Amino acid sequence: MSILSGKHGLIVGVANKRSISWAIAQAAAAAGARLALTYPSERLEENVRELAATLEHPVLAPCDVGSDQQIADLATTLDREFGGLDFLVHGAGFAPADALHNPFVDTSRESFRIALDISAYSLIGLTRAMMPLMEKRGGGSVLTLTYLGSQRVFPNYNVMGVAKAALESSVRYLASELGPKNVRVNAISAGAIKTLAASGIGGFSTILQVYRDRAPLRRSVEGAEVADAAIFLLSPASRAVTGEILMVDSGFHAMGL
Ligand code: NAD
Ligand code: 0WE
């Protein structure tokens, strides 16, 4: 018996085959879940459509998480297609490129607004929209993706670190409020992985090398390893776990020097 069989899940944040959200989608599908995937723009629609085509009976829907209307329409679509929802994976994150290149002290009000809106507020908005669907199923599991840059300084991570701090705090407030409805809310803090979101970052191979040199396991992490931890958090195996930030980073966070 597969651990997610009979379950319906929504995955937000697939851009291409290297996306962490895609690794989670593949693992969830292998564990028996039926999935809905979203794309944020027409530019990415074809990419996501091709990946979704490798799944069984996928639902594909637009969702720019910066739009309340698109989030509301997504809930309507999923109610029609699934009649409820068991889990939600939030893997959307974005800050304007200049905020990741310029000194942090020069972060503009607009870049701050966008980073916090797309990377942190969207978890609240999506979760709220999906609550009626999860309540229909007697509860659910919400999972987001974060990074250690929320707690410690990684040069150039800048306003994304601030957004991830807000995201992690949101995980705890949502977990507290939604627990009585049997909806659990957790995050995985993944080690550095070379995805599309990482490709715009100068010196990323140096960052990966630091993990190989210093992490207790002496290596970086792969999407499939994050996905295995995600399946735990999405499944009843974690039924007493909520408000948790699970580090999946080869132990890097444990080191001081
Ligand atoms: P990715 O580029 O594949 O995924 C980021 C996703 O965010 C993309 O699918 C993009 O379309 C989506 N997105 C951006 N703006 C959006 C919007 N307005 N509406 C909807 N979606 C939008 O890269 P990834 O590394 O898989 O990132 C996924 C998550 O994992 C992010 O939250 C990221 O911060 C986090 N994370 C990444 C790493 C890493 O090293 N790659 C480490 C820890 C955490
Ligand atoms: O969360 C991230 C990256 C998120 C991200 C990436 C981009 C690049 C392209 C958000 N917005 C944008 N905007 C763009 O225009 N990670 C965890 C990956 C990452 O980014 C870093 C890292 C790591 C790890 C930046 C500096 C240092 C380490």
Coordinates of all heavy atoms in Angstrom, one line a residue, residues 12-16 18-21 40 44 63-66 90-94 118 145-147 157 160 164 188-198 204, ligand 1:
V12 N 2.8 23.8 -6.0 CA 3.1 25.1 -6.6 C 4.6 25.4 -6.5 O 5.2 25.3 -5.5 CB 2.4 26.2 -5.7 CG1 2.7 27.6 -6.2 CG2 0.9 26.0 -5.7
G13 N 5.2 25.6 -7.7 CA 6.6 25.9 -7.7 C 7.4 25.1 -8.6 O 8.7 25.1 -8.5
V14 N 6.8 24.4 -9.5 CA 7.5 23.6 -10.6 C 7.8 24.6 -11.7 O 6.9 25.2 -12.3 CB 6.7 22.4 -11.1 CG1 7.5 21.7 -12.2 CG2 6.4 21.4 -10.0
A15 N 9.1 24.7 -12.1 CA 9.5 25.5 -13.2 C 10.1 24.6 -14.3 O 9.8 24.8 -15.5 CB 10.5 26.6 -12.8
N16 N 10.9 23.7 -13.9 CA 11.6 22.8 -14.8 C 12.0 21.5 -14.1 O 11.6 21.3 -12.9 CB 12.8 23.4 -15.5 CG 13.8 23.8 -14.5 OD1 14.0 23.2 -13.5 ND2 14.5 24.9 -14.8
R18 N 14.6 20.5 -12.8 CA 15.5 20.6 -11.6 C 14.8 21.2 -10.4 O 15.4 21.2 -9.3 CB 16.7 21.5 -12.0 CG 17.7 20.7 -12.8 CD 18.5 21.5 -13.8 NE 19.6 22.2 -13.1 CZ 20.4 23.1 -13.7 NH1 20.2 23.3 -15.0 NH2 21.4 23.6 -13.1
S19 N 13.6 21.7 -10.6 CA 12.9 22.3 -9.4 C 12.7 21.3 -8.3 O 12.4 20.1 -8.5 CB 11.5 22.7 -9.9 OG 11.5 23.8 -10.8
I20 N 13.0 21.8 -7.1 CA 12.8 20.9 -5.9 C 11.3 20.5 -5.8 O 11.0 19.3 -5.5 CB 13.1 21.7 -4.6 CG1 14.6 22.1 -4.6 CG2 12.8 20.9 -3.4 CD1 15.1 23.0 -3.5
S21 N 10.4 21.4 -6.2 CA 9.0 21.0 -6.2 C 8.7 19.9 -7.2 O 7.7 19.1 -7.0 CB 8.1 22.2 -6.6 OG 8.3 23.2 -5.7
P40 N 3.2 29.8 -13.2 CA 2.9 31.2 -12.9 C 2.7 32.1 -14.1 O 2.3 33.3 -13.9 CB 4.2 31.6 -12.1 CG 5.2 30.7 -12.7 CD 4.6 29.5 -13.1
L44 N 6.1 29.8 -18.7 CA 6.5 28.5 -18.1 C 5.5 27.4 -18.3 O 5.7 26.3 -17.9 CB 6.7 28.7 -16.6 CG 8.1 29.4 -16.2 CD1 8.1 29.8 -14.8 CD2 9.3 28.4 -16.5
C63 N -1.3 29.7 -11.9 CA -1.4 30.4 -10.6 C -0.1 31.3 -10.3 O 0.9 30.7 -10.0 CB -1.6 29.5 -9.4 SG -1.8 30.3 -7.8
D64 N -0.3 32.6 -10.5 CA 0.7 33.5 -10.1 C 0.3 33.8 -8.7 O -0.7 34.4 -8.4 CB 0.6 34.8 -11.0 CG 1.5 35.9 -10.5 OD1 2.0 35.8 -9.3 OD2 1.7 36.9 -11.2
V65 N 1.2 33.4 -7.7 CA 0.9 33.5 -6.3 C 0.8 35.0 -5.8 O 0.4 35.3 -4.7 CB 1.8 32.7 -5.4 CG1 1.7 31.2 -5.7 CG2 3.2 33.2 -5.4
G66 N 1.2 35.9 -6.7 CA 1.0 37.3 -6.4 C -0.4 37.8 -6.7 O -0.7 39.0 -6.4
H90 N 4.2 24.3 -1.2 CA 4.5 25.7 -1.6 C 6.0 25.8 -1.9 O 6.8 25.7 -0.9 CB 4.1 26.6 -0.5 CG 4.4 28.0 -0.6 ND1 5.7 28.5 -0.3 CD2 3.8 29.1 -1.2 CE1 5.7 29.8 -0.5 NE2 4.6 30.2 -1.1
G91 N 6.3 25.9 -3.1 CA 7.8 26.0 -3.5 C 8.0 27.3 -4.4 O 8.9 27.2 -5.2
A92 N 7.2 28.3 -4.1 CA 7.4 29.6 -4.9 C 8.3 30.5 -4.1 O 8.2 30.6 -2.9 CB 6.1 30.2 -5.1
G93 N 9.3 31.1 -4.7 CA 10.1 32.1 -4.1 C 10.7 33.0 -5.1 O 11.1 32.6 -6.2
F94 N 10.7 34.3 -4.8 CA 11.3 35.2 -5.8 C 11.6 36.6 -5.1 O 10.9 37.1 -4.3 CB 10.3 35.5 -6.9 CG 10.8 36.5 -8.0 CD1 11.7 36.1 -8.9 CD2 10.4 37.8 -7.9 CE1 12.2 37.0 -9.8 CE2 10.9 38.7 -8.8 CZ 11.8 38.3 -9.8
I118 N 5.7 37.4 -2.7 CA 5.8 36.2 -3.4 C 6.4 35.0 -2.6 O 5.9 33.9 -2.7 CB 6.7 36.4 -4.7 CG1 6.1 37.5 -5.6 CG2 6.8 35.1 -5.5 CD1 4.7 37.4 -6.0
L145 N 9.1 25.4 1.5 CA 10.5 25.2 1.3 C 11.3 26.5 1.8 O 10.9 27.6 1.3 CB 10.9 24.9 -0.1 CG 10.4 23.6 -0.6 CD1 10.4 23.4 -2.1 CD2 11.1 22.4 0.1
T146 N 12.2 26.3 2.7 CA 13.0 27.5 3.2 C 14.5 27.2 3.1 O 14.9 26.2 2.6 CB 12.5 27.8 4.6 OG1 13.1 29.1 5.0 CG2 12.8 26.8 5.6
Y147 N 15.2 28.3 3.6 CA 16.7 28.2 3.5 C 17.3 28.8 4.8 O 16.7 29.7 5.3 CB 17.2 28.9 2.2 CG 18.7 28.7 2.1 CD1 19.2 27.4 1.9 CD2 19.6 29.8 2.0 CE1 20.6 27.2 1.8 CE2 20.9 29.6 1.9 CZ 21.4 28.3 1.8 OH 22.8 28.1 1.7
Y157 N 22.3 36.7 -0.3 CA 20.9 36.1 -0.1 C 20.0 37.3 0.3 O 18.8 37.3 -0.1 CB 20.9 34.9 0.9 CG 19.7 34.1 0.7 CD1 19.4 33.4 -0.5 CD2 18.8 33.9 1.8 CE1 18.3 32.6 -0.6 CE2 17.7 33.1 1.7 CZ 17.4 32.5 0.5 OH 16.3 31.7 0.4
M160 N 16.0 37.9 0.5 CA 15.4 36.6 0.5 C 15.5 36.0 1.9 O 14.7 35.2 2.4 CB 16.1 35.6 -0.5 CG 15.5 35.7 -1.9 SD 13.7 35.5 -2.0 CE 13.5 33.8 -1.4
K164 N 12.5 34.6 4.0 CA 12.4 33.2 4.6 C 12.2 33.3 6.1 O 11.5 32.4 6.7 CB 13.7 32.5 4.3 CG 13.9 32.2 2.8 CD 12.7 31.4 2.2 CE 13.1 30.8 0.8 NZ 11.9 30.1 0.2
I188 N 10.6 22.5 5.0 CA 11.9 21.8 4.9 C 12.9 22.9 4.6 O 12.7 23.7 3.7 CB 11.9 20.8 3.8 CG1 11.1 19.5 4.2 CG2 13.3 20.3 3.5 CD1 10.9 18.5 3.2
S189 N 13.9 23.0 5.4 CA 15.0 23.9 5.1 C 16.1 23.1 4.3 O 16.8 22.3 4.9 CB 15.6 24.5 6.3 OG 16.6 25.5 6.0
A190 N 16.1 23.3 3.0 CA 17.0 22.5 2.2 C 18.4 23.1 2.1 O 18.6 24.3 2.1 CB 16.4 22.3 0.8
G191 N 19.4 22.2 1.9 CA 20.7 22.7 1.6 C 20.8 23.2 0.2 O 19.8 23.1 -0.6
A192 N 21.8 23.9 -0.2 CA 21.9 24.5 -1.5 C 21.9 23.5 -2.7 O 22.6 22.4 -2.6 CB 23.2 25.3 -1.7
I193 N 21.0 23.7 -3.6 CA 20.8 22.8 -4.8 C 20.9 23.7 -6.1 O 20.2 24.7 -6.1 CB 19.5 22.0 -4.7 CG1 19.4 21.2 -3.4 CG2 19.3 21.2 -6.0 CD1 18.1 20.5 -3.3
K194 N 21.5 23.2 -7.1 CA 21.6 24.0 -8.3 C 20.4 23.9 -9.2 O 20.2 23.0 -10.0 CB 22.9 23.6 -9.1 CG 23.2 24.7 -10.2 CD 24.7 24.8 -10.5 CE 25.0 25.7 -11.7 NZ 24.6 27.1 -11.3
T195 N 19.4 24.8 -8.9 CA 18.1 24.8 -9.7 C 18.1 26.2 -10.4 O 19.0 26.9 -10.4 CB 16.9 24.8 -8.7 OG1 17.1 26.0 -7.8 CG2 16.9 23.6 -7.8
L196 N 17.0 26.4 -11.1 CA 16.8 27.7 -11.8 C 16.9 28.9 -10.9 O 17.6 29.8 -11.2 CB 15.4 27.7 -12.5 CG 15.0 28.9 -13.3 CD1 15.9 29.0 -14.5 CD2 13.6 28.9 -13.7
A197 N 16.3 28.7 -9.7 CA 16.4 29.8 -8.7 C 17.9 30.1 -8.3 O 18.2 31.1 -7.8 CB 15.5 29.6 -7.5
A198 N 18.7 29.1 -8.4 CA 20.1 29.2 -8.0 C 21.0 29.7 -9.2 O 22.1 30.2 -8.9 CB 20.6 27.9 -7.5
F204 N 27.7 30.3 -7.2 CA 26.9 29.2 -6.6 C 27.7 28.0 -6.5 O 27.5 27.2 -5.5 CB 25.6 28.9 -7.4 CG 24.6 28.3 -6.6 CD1 23.8 29.0 -5.7 CD2 24.4 26.9 -6.6 CE1 22.8 28.4 -4.9 CE2 23.4 26.2 -5.9 CZ 22.6 27.0 -5.0
Ligands
NAD1 P1 12.9 26.9 -8.9 O1 13.3 28.1 -9.7 O2 12.8 25.7 -9.7 O3 11.5 27.2 -8.1 C1 11.1 28.5 -7.7 C2 9.7 28.5 -8.2 O4 9.0 29.7 -7.8 C3 9.6 28.5 -9.8 O5 8.8 27.4 -10.2 C4 8.9 29.8 -10.1 O6 8.1 29.7 -11.2 C5 8.1 30.0 -8.8 N1 7.6 31.4 -8.8 C6 8.3 32.6 -8.8 N2 7.4 33.6 -8.8 C7 6.2 33.1 -8.7 C8 4.9 33.6 -8.7 N3 4.7 35.0 -8.8 N4 3.8 32.8 -8.7 C9 4.0 31.5 -8.7 N5 5.2 30.9 -8.7 C10 6.3 31.7 -8.7 O7 14.0 26.8 -7.8 P2 14.0 25.9 -6.4 O8 15.4 25.9 -6.0 O9 13.4 24.6 -6.7 O10 13.1 26.7 -5.4 C11 11.9 26.2 -4.8 C12 11.9 26.7 -3.4 O11 12.9 26.1 -2.7 C13 12.1 28.2 -3.2 O12 11.2 28.7 -2.2 C14 13.5 28.3 -2.7 O13 13.7 29.5 -2.0 C15 13.6 27.1 -1.9 N6 15.0 26.6 -1.6 C16 15.9 26.5 -2.6 C17 17.2 26.0 -2.4 C18 18.2 25.9 -3.4 O14 19.4 25.9 -3.1 N7 17.8 25.7 -4.7 C19 17.5 25.7 -1.0 C20 16.6 25.9 0.0 C21 15.3 26.3 -0.3

